[in-house]
Amino acid sequence: METFIKVVARDIIKRFGTDLRDITIVFPNKRAGIFMNQQLAACSDRPVWAPNYRTISELFHSLSEYTLCDDITAVCELYKAYTANMENAETLDQFYGWGEVILSDFDDVDKHMVDAQKLFLNIRDIKEIEKSSFLTPEQEQTLKKFFSDFSIEENTKLKENFLRLWNKMGEIYTHFNKNLRNKGILYEGALYKDVVQKLPESFAKTSPHQQYLFVGFNVLNEVEKALFQFLKNKGKALFYWDYDNMYVKQNTHFEAGTFIRQNLIDFPNSLPEEHYNHFC
């Protein structure tokens, strides 16, 4: 049985020949590029002008006018936004671990293109927050480190502090992102979202002949879907999905193919279906 990378490499050579200077192959991670180079050379009897290789993260970064902010700087900047919007704020040491959680939440919000203000408003209104048993023991311990006056036996003060934070989360999000933009930096989710919100401008400086081949992806977030759709509409993208027909057609493993089935509808595969019958 041939490997997925070898099948993709043969298809690339068949479609584009050996001059791949205007081809950008995008992978979910770095490792696959090494094997792709080997397979491209093996599939051709002539020297191959290698394509460009990018991870999806590198592609987004290359399209952005902003610099990616490291996590330590991001949490410190988040703390500034936090103290500007909260009375009697904790120290940076007390905040740091909680700040990493908030930063991760902000990252997810942006990568899934969620309206942050509406999201935090909805969370604030969740009625379950009023129940005294809404915390797991692990959450109690985590929050105990953040709120020094926390008591497991009487957590009314905890709920007040927790709600006080979430009531301000929209303002903290806005303040934080504004400060980062003024410095010319963004955390990853915000950078991805910024690229997607101005895709024509983001690709304005790229070569009009450039083609993008997305290889080996599975679960996509909303910013990735938006990027894929934009390039697909421009006729500049091909998609190579790594899966087996067992997961998309047979009832036994139907749930395992949930994401790949939708991907095949939204972004049709560039390989014939017969390549995906390994387990059948």
Side-chain angles (χ1 to χ4, degrees), residues 133-156:
S133 61
F134 75 99
L135 292 173
T136 66
E138 292 77 13
Q139 289 170 327
E140 288 175 341
Q141 288 302 316
T142 300
L143 291 175
K144 184 177 181 180
K145 296 176 183 178
F146 184 58
F147 297 124
S148 58
D149 57 356
F150 172 66
S151 168
I152 295 177
E153 291 75 22
E154 186 60 47
N155 62 12
T156 300

Side-chain angles (χ1 to χ4, degrees), residues 192-204:
Y192 283 21
K193 183 177 179 180
D194 183 75
V195 168
V196 165
Q197 287 178 331
K198 45 190 178 185
L199 278 169
E201 179 183 340
S202 299
F203 279 95

Side-chain angles (χ1 to χ4, degrees), residues 87-205:
E87 297 179 0
N88 303 317
E90 289 71 17
T91 66
L92 178 58
D93 286 344
Q94 292 172 308
F95 173 81
Y96 197 89
W98 190 245
E100 289 179 311
V101 175
I102 296 174
L103 180 62
S104 177
D105 289 342
F106 285 178
D107 189 73
D108 286 340
V109 164
D110 290 335
K111 285 182 178 177
H112 289 281
M113 303 289 285
V114 176
D115 186 321
Q117 298 304 324
K118 291 181 180 179
L119 171 68
F120 295 126
L121 180 63
N122 288 339
I123 291 176
R124 186 179 67 191
D125 292 338
I126 292 176
K127 297 302 181 183
E128 284 75 8
I129 200 79
E130 298 173 359
K131 298 179 182 178
S132 59
S133 61
F134 75 99
L135 292 173
T136 66
E138 292 77 13
Q139 289 170 327
E140 288 175 341
Q141 288 302 316
T142 300
L143 291 175
K144 184 177 181 180
K145 296 176 183 178
F146 184 58
F147 297 124
S148 58
D149 57 356
F150 172 66
S151 168
I152 295 177
E153 291 75 22
E154 186 60 47
N155 62 12
T156 300
K157 187 64 176 178
L158 168 66
K159 289 192 292 184
E160 290 176 358
N161 286 333
F162 190 77
L163 286 170
R164 181 169 61 92
L165 172 61
W166 280 103
N167 285 340
K168 291 289 186 179
M169 197 62 78
E171 287 88 341
I172 293 171
Y173 173 89
T174 300
H175 192 151
F176 173 50
N177 275 274
K178 181 179 179 181
N179 285 351
L180 289 182
R181 288 174 182 272
N182 289 339
K183 294 176 182 291
I185 57 178
L186 288 175
Y187 57 93
E188 190 171 78
L191 185 148
Y192 283 21
K193 183 177 179 180
D194 183 75
V195 168
V196 165
Q197 287 178 331
K198 45 190 178 185
L199 278 169
E201 179 183 340
S202 299
F203 279 95
K205 296 180 181 179

